[in-house]
């Protein structure tokens, strides 16, 4: 009788190999040397240098999962997962993570998955190289969670479309060279009649209305955009007309997984920071980590991180196997984002007054973490999805 060994049960989960460990190290080294020392200045300036996209492209980080023929690294989702987790762990800041992540995790995947060879050449290849900046435009002033409420209209004309409308809260929106933009292409309401067009910054009528001021993610740009009679050629239609809702859903899976991985990376770092501080800082004649109240806080933080990591890696493994694990991805997004905020807040508490000071970076972690339960589908929407999955 042949004994089938259940290697899956004991394999590193997901299938991380030495190659992925090397990648972890590379990302950490890059952030340590070229990002972390400058983050404070970039946060003050309210943006990181445009050059950083090019540098990330040069190092291969913006095209880890894309084929070499398109300038990518020929890797897969697991490589991209390592990038998302380590960028956060290494302390790149929420803003830098959001700006680079918007490029690699939300703006380019639909171009790769649904784009024509011509669109791959015009948008994906330069985005992988960091020469062009991409953004994803779904949210509008009157339509966030409810994408069926999208009003930006693309009127079909000879040879293409004429677009009128607006988008808001768009990460990379101020600097983006191209916008992967959800529009309505038919009067049909609801989820039907949605399509995607790639809008280019230099198109007449495409305007960046403002760079929004926000609570955290200071070094990333978040834009409000408006479109007035923007003529978009038919070759910029991404995917099939009126099938845009499908594209939105396909994109959400990776966006949510990638946010979960970022939160896991962030929590790993916060637990380490808390342990270090609790070991060094003394009060009443002993390191504060020797007080049970503080020790228990750290124990709970580490447990939260580990359970979030297990849930996220579980979802990642299923995703990497080609399944569409909506339930697991939704749970991971729901659990990790609120947990990151709580872990960051506990870390701040352990730092006492110093935690409240900019110098330590912990207050920034708290502010940056606040976006997680809102962006990429809010906690309430995650619970709605899960409720439906559970048959309610
Ligand atoms: C910094 C930042 C960056 C962003 N980047 C991008 C980007 O790059 N591209 C992009 O397209 N969007 C982006 N967004 C938008 C983000 O995805 C939306 O803010 C989010 O989807 C929520 O939409 P909303 O803000 O309109 O809130 P709303 O949808 O108006 O929701 C308001 C409140 O009502 C709750 N709610 C809504 N519907 C329900 C329901 N059915 N049941 C229970 N509660 C409900 C929500 O959970 C929330 O608490 C970004 C947002 C921010 C703040």
């Amino acid at each position: 009788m042949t004994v089938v060994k259940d290697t899956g049960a004991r394999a590193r989960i997901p299938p991380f190999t030495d190659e992925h460990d090397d990648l972890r190290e590379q990302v950490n080294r890059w952030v340590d040397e070229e990002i972390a020392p400058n983050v404070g200045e970039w946060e003050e300036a309210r943006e990181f240098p445009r050059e950083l996209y090019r540098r990330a492209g040069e190092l291969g980080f913006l095209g880890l999962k894309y084929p070499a023929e398109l300038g990518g690294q020929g890797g897969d989702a697991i490589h991209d997962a390592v990038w998302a987790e380590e960028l956060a762990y290494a302390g790149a800041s929420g803003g830098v993570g959001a700006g680079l992540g918007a490029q690699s995790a939300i703006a380019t995947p639909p171009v790769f998955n649904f784009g024509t060879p011509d669109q791959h050449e015009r948008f994906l290849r330069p985005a992988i190289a960091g020469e062009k900046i991409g953004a994803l435009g779904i949210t509008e002033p009157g339509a966030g969670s409810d994408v069926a409420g999208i009003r930006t209209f693309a009127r079909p004309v000879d040879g293409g479309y004429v677009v009128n409308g607006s988008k808001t809260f768009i990460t990379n929106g101020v600097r983006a060279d191209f916008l992967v933009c959800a529009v309505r292409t038919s009067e049909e309401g609801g989820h039907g009649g949605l399509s995607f067009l790639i809008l280019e910054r230099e198109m007449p009528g495409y305007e960046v209305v403002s760079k929004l001021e926000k609570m955290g993610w200071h070094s990333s740009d978040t834009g409000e955009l408006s479109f007035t009679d923007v003529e978009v050629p038919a070759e910029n239609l991404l995917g099939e007309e009126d099938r845009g809702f499908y594209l939105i859903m396909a994109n959400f899976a990776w966006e949510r997984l990638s946010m979960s991985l970022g939160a896991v990376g962030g929590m790993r770092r916060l637990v380490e920071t808390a342990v270090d501080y609790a070991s060094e800082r003394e009060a009443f004649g002993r390191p504060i980590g020797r007080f049970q109240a503080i020790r228990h806080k750290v124990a709970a933080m580490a447990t939260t991180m580990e359970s979030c990591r297990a849930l996220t890696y579980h979802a990642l493994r299923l995703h990497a196997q080609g399944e569409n694990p909506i339930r697991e991805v939704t749970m991971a997004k729901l659990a990790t984002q609120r947990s990151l905020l709580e872990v960051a807040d506990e870390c701040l508490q352990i730092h006492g007054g110093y935690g409240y000071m900019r110098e330590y970076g912990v207050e920034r972690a708290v502010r940056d973490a606040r976006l997680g339960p809102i962006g990429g589908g809010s906690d309430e929407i995650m619970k709605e999805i899960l409720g439906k999955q559970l048959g309610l």
Side-chain angles (χ1 to χ4, degrees):
M1 194 180 83
T2 317
V3 178
V4 180
K5 268 173 71 180
D6 182 6
T7 49
R10 286 181 179 271
R12 276 192 275 187
I13 297 175
F16 291 126
T17 63
D18 291 347
E19 193 185 301
H20 298 103
D21 289 346
D22 291 346
L23 177 60
R24 280 185 201 279
E25 219 181 288
Q26 276 173 41
V27 176
N28 273 280
R29 204 176 324 122
W30 182 55
V31 174
D32 269 357
E33 290 171 6
E34 299 180 36
I35 298 181
N38 303 306
V39 161
E41 196 186 310
W42 298 343
E43 289 274 300
E44 289 296 323
R46 295 293 190 264
E47 66 182 25
F48 60 83
R50 199 183 159 99
E51 176 54 30
L52 204 63
Y53 293 94
R54 199 183 285 271
R55 183 74 179 124
E58 192 176 273
L59 294 169
F61 297 143
L62 300 178
L64 289 166
K65 65 180 172 194
Y66 300 130
E69 304 86 82
L70 289 169
Q73 300 299 306
D76 54 29
I78 310 276
H79 293 93
D80 229 21
V82 169
W83 157 246
E85 185 182 335
E86 295 309 313
L87 198 57
Y89 169 77
S93 81
V96 171
L100 297 178
Q103 177 99 340
S104 62
I106 63 173
T108 54
V111 183
F112 174 64
N113 289 321
F114 301 94
T116 60
D118 167 63
Q119 290 168 347
H120 286 166
E121 287 306 318
R122 286 162 59 216
F123 303 109
L124 185 59
R125 186 185 292 282
I128 289 173
E131 285 159 6
K132 275 191 178 173
I133 301 175
L136 178 73
I138 295 178
T139 308
E140 299 187 354
S145 305
D146 183 12
V147 292
I150 286 174
R151 292 279 163 270
T152 295
F153 198 77
R155 180 166 48 89
V157 292
D158 227 18
Y161 305 85
V162 173
V163 178
N164 281 283
S166 57
K167 295 285 165 186
T168 196
F169 303 153
I170 307 305
T171 304
N172 288 351
V174 179
R175 296 194 281 190
D177 298 294
F178 67 92
L179 177 74
V180 176
C181 186
V183 295
R184 198 160 277 293
T185 31
S186 85
E187 298 291 354
E188 183 189 343
H191 293 146
L194 290 174
S195 306
F196 271 82
L197 293 177
I198 304 178
L199 270 56
E200 298 169 68
R201 194 179 40 186
E202 65 272 16
M203 289 175 167
Y206 180 114
E207 192 194 344
V208 176
V209 179
S210 68
K211 180 171 176 174
L212 300 165
E213 271 295 324
K214 44 196 193 295
M215 174 180 177
W217 284 19
H218 285 168
S219 51
S220 69
D221 78 65
T222 309
E224 185 180 354
L225 309 171
S226 96
F227 319 119
T228 310
D229 292 331
V230 182
E231 290 178 20
V232 183
E235 61 260 27
N236 281 29
L237 173 70
L238 183 63
E240 285 177 55
E241 201 176 83
D242 294 341
R243 292 268 292 155
F245 187 69
Y246 171 70
L247 189 149
I248 292 177
M249 290 302 122
N251 220 36
F252 268 149
W254 185 254
E255 177 176 8
R256 289 171 185 165
L257 202 38
S258 161
M259 285 178 75
S260 306
L261 287 153
V264 168
M267 281 186 270
R268 276 171 49 212
R269 172 48 68 95
L270 286 159
V271 171
E272 285 179 16
T273 304
V275 170
D276 286 348
Y277 193 78
S279 311
E280 280 163 22
R281 176 72 177 173
E282 295 200 358
F284 300 95
R286 69 179 90 161
I288 56 170
R290 300 278 295 280
F291 293 112
Q292 192 182 53
I294 300 292
R295 213 162 50 221
H296 284 194
K297 266 190 208 303
V298 177
M301 288 161 70
T303 306
T304 300
M305 183 280 289
E306 201 63 58
S307 55
C308 283
R309 175 158 61 182
L311 186 52
T312 302
Y313 279 6
H314 176 48
L316 174 62
R317 185 164 51 84
L318 295 173
H319 178 90
Q321 281 170 4
E323 293 178 35
N324 183 18
I326 295 175
R327 196 176 86 113
E328 290 77 6
V329 168
T330 308
M331 285 179 173
K333 163 77 171 63
L334 177 62
T336 53
Q337 304 305 303
R338 183 60 63 175
S339 294
L340 174 63
L341 179 61
E342 286 168 5
V343 166
D345 188 49
E346 285 291 60
C347 187
L348 191 150
Q349 187 67 19
I350 290 169
H351 280 69
Y354 291 99
Y356 200 71
M357 300 296 133
R358 290 234 162 140
E359 190 189 337
Y360 283 74
V362 183
E363 61 85 35
R364 189 184 73 220
V366 177
R367 286 186 288 105
D368 287 349
R370 189 60 189 88
L371 192 268
I374 300 168
S378 67
D379 280 4
E380 290 76 14
I381 296 299
M382 295 306 100
K383 287 178 186 163
E384 280 301 291
I385 296 172
L386 289 168
K388 280 185 198 139
Q389 288 257 324
L390 294 164
L392 295 172

